[in-house]
Amino acid sequence: LSDSSANVTLDISVLKILVSFLMTYGLADVNESVRNNARNASRDIVASNGASDEAIAFLLPHFESILSSGQADLSFLGALDKDKAPQDVTSSDRRKEGVVVALG
């Protein structure tokens, strides 16, 4: 999904869930390898699927919110367990860093 040569276009609902998952859990993970993969996937997904007006209307406010608060919007996670979303300062800092990378 994240390889731009794969030529996969994500439906906006899938894009919202996927990006929200990566921002909430992947970028905040304690394991550096998981964080790196989430950061790379986020960057590639934004690069390959972030050009439509609908994607921009979701991504920019979502990323701005993370940059200002360090917390991801949990409302897009659907049935995923929101109680397990890391809320500590280190996780917030990792999310902010990941958003900067995702934006390129």
Side-chain angles (χ1 to χ4, degrees), residues 19-29 72-74 77 85-86 95:
V19 169
S20 296
F21 175 82
L22 291 170
M23 294 293 146
T24 302
Y25 300 106
L27 294 176
D29 200 276
D73 184 348
L74 305 179
L77 292 174
R95 281 189 195 100

Side-chain angles (χ1 to χ4, degrees), residues 38-97:
R39 192 168 32 249
N40 292 341
S42 298
R43 180 198 62 225
D44 293 346
I45 289 166
V46 168
S48 61
N49 293 276
S52 74
D53 290 341
E54 201 172 19
I56 292 169
F58 163 71
L59 291 170
L60 288 182
H62 192 67
F63 289 167
E64 286 174 354
S65 175
I66 292 170
L67 287 172
S68 67
S69 71
Q71 301 302 315
D73 184 348
L74 305 179
S75 67
F76 295 104
L77 292 174
L80 294 175
D81 189 356
K82 296 161 189 68
D83 294 333
K84 292 188 178 183
Q87 302 294 326
D88 58 282
V89 173
T90 302
S91 296
S92 294
D93 290 343
R94 291 175 180 153
R95 281 189 195 100
K96 290 176 182 179
E97 177 187 316

